[in-house]
């Protein structure tokens, strides 16, 4: 498995600290990040997996996550929030956590695959503002210890698609329940407090919002 790039975590944390201070309610701004993992999954005939995450800047909760065998594009990002493009390509892995709320804004990097006309139209139809920044900024979506680093630290062996999906669920839950050294609260605590004060926008097909720590939904 390829280790995370050295020196990439500090800028990501700085970006996240700024976003946490500047976003005044849950799903006000969500930061999209990616991680590429060298994991062999013989059943899918692949040795590389892409993780797409969406992290709420207000609470720190990763509100949505998706695994894929191909590089994610803008349609995959909007799919984290329930959007279904007409010509979606079937994905053997899929969503590990779906956010039933709609963000006010998404922060993505400048990659052209996130800026297609269809993605811009779909985001506008959902009332989502797309904001574009450097690739390092979008990296702030993932916890400082990415999935690859977490797998290496825990010694978790992943050899199947189901095993990988279970590992992602464990990684997300561990982050959501991690207590801050500053105030003792968890990202999930901040999320729950925030949605009580500031109701989130729900998508047309969404059920009442569930907390991100409960099952696969956010």
């Amino acid at each position: 498995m390829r280790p995370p790039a050295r020196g990439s975590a500090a800028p990501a944390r700085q970006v996240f600290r700024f976003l946490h201070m500047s976003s005044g309610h849950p799903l006000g701004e969500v930061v999209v990040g990616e991680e590429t993992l060298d994991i062999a999954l013989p059943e899918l005939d692949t040795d590389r997996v892409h993780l797409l995450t969406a992290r709420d800047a207000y609470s720190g909760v990763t509100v949505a996550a998706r695994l894929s065998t191909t590089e994610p594009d803008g349609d995959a990002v909007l799919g984290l929030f329930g959007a279904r493009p007409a010509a979606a390509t079937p994905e053997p892995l899929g969503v590990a956590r779906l956010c039933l709320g709609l963000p006010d804004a998404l922060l993505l990097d400048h990659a052209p695959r996130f800026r297609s006309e269809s993605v811009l139209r779909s985001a506008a139809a959902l009332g989502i503002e797309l904001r574009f920044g450097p690739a390092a900024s979008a990296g702030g979506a993932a916890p400082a210890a990415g999935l690859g680093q977490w797998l290496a630290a825990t010694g978790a062996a992943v050899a199947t698609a189901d095993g990988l999906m279970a590992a992602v669920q464990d990684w997300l839950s561990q982050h959501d329940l991690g207590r801050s050294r500053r105030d003792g609260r968890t990202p999930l605590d901040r999320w729950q407090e925030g949605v009580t004060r500031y109701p989130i926008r729900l998508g047309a097909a969404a059920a009442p919002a569930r907390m991100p720590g409960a099952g696969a939904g956010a």
Side-chain angles (χ1 to χ4, degrees), residues 29 43 51 56 77 106 108 168 191 198:
E29 186 162 44
E43 66 192 282
L51 173 68
D56 175 47
V77 171
L106 290 173
L108 306 123
V168 171
W191 171 269
Y198 308 103

Side-chain angles (χ1 to χ4, degrees), residues 85-180:
T89 302
E91 170 54 52
L93 288 170
V95 173
R97 175 178 286 179
L98 178 68
C99 183
L100 297 179
L102 293 176
D104 295 337
L106 290 173
L107 177 63
L108 306 123
D109 74 26
H110 285 298
R113 57 199 161 93
F114 294 135
R115 304 175 68 102
S116 70
E117 286 299 320
S118 64
V119 170
L120 296 178
R121 285 195 301 269
S122 296
L126 292 170
I128 299 173
E129 178 188 355
L130 299 183
R131 300 172 182 170
F132 297 94
S137 299
L147 177 60
Q149 184 177 338
W150 181 83
L151 288 171
T154 59
V158 174
T160 66
D162 287 346
L164 177 59
M165 192 66 75
V168 171
Q169 298 290 349
D170 289 344
W171 172 67
L172 291 171
S173 295
Q174 184 176 39
H175 169 69
D176 289 344
L177 299 175
R179 295 199 175 276
S180 166

Side-chain angles (χ1 to χ4, degrees), residues 44-69:
L44 302 181
D45 192 26
T46 187
D47 58 5
R48 177 165 292 185
V49 174
H50 300 270
L51 173 68
L52 185 67
T53 56
R55 192 177 189 195
D56 175 47
Y58 174 87
S59 64
V61 162
T62 301
V63 295
R66 178 183 186 269
L67 290 164
S68 63
T69 55

